[in-house]
mmCIF file of all heavy atoms in Angstrom:
data_model
loop_
_atom_site.group_PDB
_atom_site.id
_atom_site.type_symbol
_atom_site.label_atom_id
_atom_site.label_comp_id
_atom_site.label_asym_id
_atom_site.label_seq_id
_atom_site.Cartn_x
_atom_site.Cartn_y
_atom_site.Cartn_z
ATOM 1 N N TYR A 1 -26.388 41.809 113.120
ATOM 2 C CA TYR A 1 -26.326 40.485 112.503
ATOM 3 C C TYR A 1 -27.086 39.466 113.347
ATOM 4 O O TYR A 1 -27.313 39.665 114.544
ATOM 5 C CB TYR A 1 -24.879 40.011 112.372
ATOM 6 C CG TYR A 1 -23.962 40.941 111.616
ATOM 7 C CD1 TYR A 1 -23.111 41.815 112.292
ATOM 8 C CD2 TYR A 1 -23.932 40.939 110.226
ATOM 9 C CE1 TYR A 1 -22.249 42.662 111.594
ATOM 10 C CE2 TYR A 1 -23.079 41.780 109.520
ATOM 11 C CZ TYR A 1 -22.240 42.642 110.212
ATOM 12 O OH TYR A 1 -21.410 43.474 109.527
ATOM 13 N N GLU A 2 -27.415 38.340 112.722
ATOM 14 C CA GLU A 2 -27.932 37.191 113.458
ATOM 15 C C GLU A 2 -27.522 35.922 112.719
ATOM 16 O O GLU A 2 -27.201 35.956 111.525
ATOM 17 C CB GLU A 2 -29.451 37.249 113.619
ATOM 18 C CG GLU A 2 -30.245 37.135 112.330
ATOM 19 C CD GLU A 2 -31.753 37.149 112.588
ATOM 20 O OE1 GLU A 2 -32.317 38.259 112.689
ATOM 21 O OE2 GLU A 2 -32.342 36.049 112.667
ATOM 22 N N THR A 3 -27.502 34.823 113.447
ATOM 23 C CA THR A 3 -27.204 33.530 112.829
ATOM 24 C C THR A 3 -28.509 32.802 112.560
ATOM 25 O O THR A 3 -29.501 32.982 113.279
ATOM 26 C CB THR A 3 -26.304 32.668 113.731
ATOM 27 O OG1 THR A 3 -26.946 32.481 114.997
ATOM 28 C CG2 THR A 3 -24.955 33.334 113.943
ATOM 29 N N VAL A 4 -28.494 31.981 111.512
ATOM 30 C CA VAL A 4 -29.681 31.206 111.156
ATOM 31 C C VAL A 4 -29.290 29.758 110.920
ATOM 32 O O VAL A 4 -28.175 29.451 110.510
ATOM 33 C CB VAL A 4 -30.386 31.781 109.901
ATOM 34 C CG1 VAL A 4 -30.950 33.149 110.191
ATOM 35 C CG2 VAL A 4 -29.442 31.827 108.702
ATOM 36 N N GLY A 5 -30.224 28.853 111.188
ATOM 37 C CA GLY A 5 -29.974 27.442 110.975
ATOM 38 C C GLY A 5 -29.057 26.853 112.025
ATOM 39 O O GLY A 5 -28.677 27.502 113.005
ATOM 40 N N GLU A 6 -28.683 25.623 111.812
ATOM 41 C CA GLU A 6 -27.822 24.895 112.743
ATOM 42 C C GLU A 6 -26.348 25.123 112.421
ATOM 43 O O GLU A 6 -25.985 25.473 111.298
ATOM 44 C CB GLU A 6 -28.121 23.395 112.668
ATOM 45 C CG GLU A 6 -29.554 23.020 113.041
ATOM 46 C CD GLU A 6 -29.867 23.324 114.487
ATOM 47 O OE1 GLU A 6 -28.978 23.142 115.345
ATOM 48 O OE2 GLU A 6 -31.018 23.741 114.775
ATOM 49 N N GLU A 7 -25.509 24.927 113.426
ATOM 50 C CA GLU A 7 -24.067 24.921 113.191
ATOM 51 C C GLU A 7 -23.753 23.807 112.193
ATOM 52 O O GLU A 7 -24.369 22.742 112.231
ATOM 53 C CB GLU A 7 -23.337 24.665 114.520
ATOM 54 C CG GLU A 7 -21.824 24.694 114.412
ATOM 55 C CD GLU A 7 -21.149 24.427 115.748
ATOM 56 O OE1 GLU A 7 -21.312 23.289 116.263
ATOM 57 O OE2 GLU A 7 -20.474 25.321 116.282
ATOM 58 N N PHE A 8 -22.805 24.056 111.288
ATOM 59 C CA PHE A 8 -22.443 23.018 110.312
ATOM 60 C C PHE A 8 -20.939 22.746 110.350
ATOM 61 O O PHE A 8 -20.157 23.561 110.815
ATOM 62 C CB PHE A 8 -22.900 23.394 108.896
ATOM 63 C CG PHE A 8 -22.333 24.679 108.351
ATOM 64 C CD1 PHE A 8 -21.165 24.678 107.606
ATOM 65 C CD2 PHE A 8 -22.974 25.895 108.559
ATOM 66 C CE1 PHE A 8 -20.635 25.852 107.078
ATOM 67 C CE2 PHE A 8 -22.467 27.078 108.039
ATOM 68 C CZ PHE A 8 -21.293 27.061 107.304
ATOM 69 N N GLU A 9 -20.580 21.552 109.875
ATOM 70 C CA GLU A 9 -19.184 21.092 109.891
ATOM 71 C C GLU A 9 -18.567 21.357 111.260
ATOM 72 O O GLU A 9 -17.492 21.948 111.396
ATOM 73 C CB GLU A 9 -18.389 21.751 108.759
ATOM 74 C CG GLU A 9 -18.908 21.368 107.383
ATOM 75 C CD GLU A 9 -18.073 21.921 106.230
ATOM 76 O OE1 GLU A 9 -16.929 22.377 106.471
ATOM 77 O OE2 GLU A 9 -18.558 21.899 105.082
ATOM 78 N N SER A 10 -19.246 20.858 112.290
ATOM 79 C CA SER A 10 -18.886 21.187 113.674
ATOM 80 C C SER A 10 -17.622 20.493 114.169
ATOM 81 O O SER A 10 -17.132 20.818 115.253
ATOM 82 C CB SER A 10 -20.046 20.848 114.612
ATOM 83 O OG SER A 10 -20.414 19.490 114.491
ATOM 84 N N ASN A 11 -17.097 19.548 113.424
ATOM 85 C CA ASN A 11 -15.853 18.882 113.830
ATOM 86 C C ASN A 11 -14.681 19.292 112.951
ATOM 87 O O ASN A 11 -13.708 18.548 112.800
ATOM 88 C CB ASN A 11 -16.019 17.357 113.796
ATOM 89 C CG ASN A 11 -16.805 16.858 115.002
ATOM 90 O OD1 ASN A 11 -16.589 17.313 116.124
ATOM 91 N ND2 ASN A 11 -17.739 15.958 114.765
ATOM 92 N N THR A 12 -14.758 20.476 112.371
ATOM 93 C CA THR A 12 -13.666 20.981 111.555
ATOM 94 C C THR A 12 -12.471 21.300 112.455
ATOM 95 O O THR A 12 -12.612 22.040 113.429
ATOM 96 C CB THR A 12 -14.079 22.248 110.795
ATOM 97 O OG1 THR A 12 -15.215 21.965 109.991
ATOM 98 C CG2 THR A 12 -12.950 22.746 109.914
ATOM 99 N N SER A 13 -11.319 20.751 112.157
ATOM 100 C CA SER A 13 -10.116 21.021 112.956
ATOM 101 C C SER A 13 -9.309 22.149 112.330
ATOM 102 O O SER A 13 -9.253 22.294 111.106
ATOM 103 C CB SER A 13 -9.242 19.776 113.060
ATOM 104 O OG SER A 13 -9.850 18.812 113.908
ATOM 105 N N ILE A 14 -8.717 22.967 113.189
ATOM 106 C CA ILE A 14 -7.797 23.998 112.727
ATOM 107 C C ILE A 14 -6.421 23.708 113.313
ATOM 108 O O ILE A 14 -6.288 23.064 114.354
ATOM 109 C CB ILE A 14 -8.273 25.417 113.101
ATOM 110 C CG1 ILE A 14 -8.407 25.586 114.611
ATOM 111 C CG2 ILE A 14 -9.576 25.725 112.410
ATOM 112 C CD1 ILE A 14 -8.795 26.990 115.023
ATOM 113 N N GLY A 15 -5.396 24.181 112.620
ATOM 114 C CA GLY A 15 -4.053 23.860 113.081
ATOM 115 C C GLY A 15 -3.009 24.865 112.627
ATOM 116 O O GLY A 15 -3.257 25.686 111.747
ATOM 117 N N MET A 16 -1.859 24.792 113.275
ATOM 118 C CA MET A 16 -0.682 25.498 112.802
ATOM 119 C C MET A 16 -0.047 24.653 111.708
ATOM 120 O O MET A 16 -0.204 23.430 111.697
ATOM 121 C CB MET A 16 0.297 25.719 113.957
ATOM 122 C CG MET A 16 -0.184 26.744 114.969
ATOM 123 S SD MET A 16 0.817 26.761 116.482
ATOM 124 C CE MET A 16 0.101 25.352 117.339
ATOM 125 N N ALA A 17 0.667 25.291 110.801
ATOM 126 C CA ALA A 17 1.237 24.560 109.672
ATOM 127 C C ALA A 17 2.725 24.820 109.554
ATOM 128 O O ALA A 17 3.192 25.945 109.752
ATOM 129 C CB ALA A 17 0.539 24.959 108.371
ATOM 130 N N THR A 18 3.457 23.766 109.221
ATOM 131 C CA THR A 18 4.891 23.862 108.939
ATOM 132 C C THR A 18 5.132 23.340 107.529
ATOM 133 O O THR A 18 4.257 22.724 106.915
ATOM 134 C CB THR A 18 5.718 23.025 109.931
ATOM 135 O OG1 THR A 18 5.319 21.645 109.833
ATOM 136 C CG2 THR A 18 5.503 23.504 111.360
ATOM 137 N N ARG A 19 6.338 23.591 107.023
ATOM 138 C CA ARG A 19 6.673 23.069 105.702
ATOM 139 C C ARG A 19 6.663 21.541 105.711
ATOM 140 O O ARG A 19 6.953 20.910 106.735
ATOM 141 C CB ARG A 19 8.054 23.576 105.258
ATOM 142 C CG ARG A 19 8.025 24.952 104.635
ATOM 143 C CD ARG A 19 9.405 25.380 104.157
ATOM 144 N NE ARG A 19 10.300 25.607 105.281
ATOM 145 C CZ ARG A 19 10.310 26.707 106.023
ATOM 146 N NH1 ARG A 19 9.463 27.683 105.777
ATOM 147 N NH2 ARG A 19 11.160 26.831 107.017
ATOM 148 N N LYS A 20 6.349 20.966 104.586
ATOM 149 C CA LYS A 20 6.349 19.523 104.444
ATOM 150 C C LYS A 20 7.705 18.950 104.848
ATOM 151 O O LYS A 20 8.751 19.399 104.380
ATOM 152 C CB LYS A 20 6.047 19.135 102.992
ATOM 153 C CG LYS A 20 4.579 19.057 102.634
ATOM 154 C CD LYS A 20 3.922 17.870 103.312
ATOM 155 C CE LYS A 20 2.469 17.716 102.937
ATOM 156 N NZ LYS A 20 1.845 16.603 103.675
ATOM 157 N N GLY A 21 7.665 17.972 105.726
ATOM 158 C CA GLY A 21 8.877 17.275 106.120
ATOM 159 C C GLY A 21 9.710 17.966 107.181
ATOM 160 O O GLY A 21 10.782 17.468 107.532
ATOM 161 N N ASP A 22 9.254 19.094 107.718
ATOM 162 C CA ASP A 22 10.017 19.802 108.754
ATOM 163 C C ASP A 22 9.764 19.133 110.100
ATOM 164 O O ASP A 22 9.081 19.667 110.982
ATOM 165 C CB ASP A 22 9.624 21.280 108.794
ATOM 166 C CG ASP A 22 10.561 22.117 109.651
ATOM 167 O OD1 ASP A 22 11.378 21.535 110.396
ATOM 168 O OD2 ASP A 22 10.477 23.366 109.589
ATOM 169 N N ALA A 23 10.344 17.946 110.265
ATOM 170 C CA ALA A 23 10.087 17.138 111.460
ATOM 171 C C ALA A 23 10.599 17.796 112.730
ATOM 172 O O ALA A 23 9.993 17.656 113.797
ATOM 173 C CB ALA A 23 10.721 15.764 111.287
ATOM 174 N N ALA A 24 11.703 18.516 112.644
ATOM 175 C CA ALA A 24 12.289 19.128 113.840
ATOM 176 C C ALA A 24 11.364 20.176 114.437
ATOM 177 O O ALA A 24 11.108 20.184 115.645
ATOM 178 C CB ALA A 24 13.643 19.740 113.505
ATOM 179 N N LEU A 25 10.839 21.074 113.599
ATOM 180 C CA LEU A 25 9.949 22.106 114.110
ATOM 181 C C LEU A 25 8.612 21.498 114.528
ATOM 182 O O LEU A 25 8.037 21.904 115.544
ATOM 183 C CB LEU A 25 9.729 23.194 113.063
ATOM 184 C CG LEU A 25 8.907 24.399 113.532
ATOM 185 C CD1 LEU A 25 9.514 25.034 114.780
ATOM 186 C CD2 LEU A 25 8.775 25.443 112.422
ATOM 187 N N GLN A 26 8.118 20.535 113.776
ATOM 188 C CA GLN A 26 6.889 19.840 114.176
ATOM 189 C C GLN A 26 7.023 19.270 115.587
ATOM 190 O O GLN A 26 6.155 19.455 116.441
ATOM 191 C CB GLN A 26 6.584 18.708 113.189
ATOM 192 C CG GLN A 26 5.853 19.116 111.945
ATOM 193 C CD GLN A 26 4.354 18.929 112.077
ATOM 194 O OE1 GLN A 26 3.881 18.024 112.755
ATOM 195 N NE2 GLN A 26 3.600 19.808 111.440
ATOM 196 N N SER A 27 8.134 18.572 115.836
ATOM 197 C CA SER A 27 8.354 17.960 117.139
ATOM 198 C C SER A 27 8.420 19.007 118.243
ATOM 199 O O SER A 27 7.862 18.825 119.337
ATOM 200 C CB SER A 27 9.644 17.141 117.112
ATOM 201 O OG SER A 27 9.896 16.535 118.365
ATOM 202 N N SER A 28 9.093 20.128 117.955
ATOM 203 C CA SER A 28 9.225 21.191 118.956
ATOM 204 C C SER A 28 7.869 21.788 119.314
ATOM 205 O O SER A 28 7.548 21.977 120.500
ATOM 206 C CB SER A 28 10.143 22.301 118.423
ATOM 207 O OG SER A 28 11.461 21.837 118.254
#
């Protein structure tokens, strides 16, 4: 394989996810 062109969307953030409103686990 090889890569071509420039890197794109270089500030894309990735994260862990919790259920909506699960403040306790988010805080932990």
Side-chain angles (χ1 to χ4, degrees):
Y1 304 99
E2 66 178 85
T3 58
V4 294
E6 299 295 323
E7 182 180 65
F8 59 92
E9 297 184 15
S10 57
N11 283 318
T12 302
S13 288
I14 60 177
M16 289 169 280
T18 60
R19 276 183 292 280
K20 275 290 182 183
D22 191 348
L25 185 55
Q26 276 265 328
S27 180
S28 294

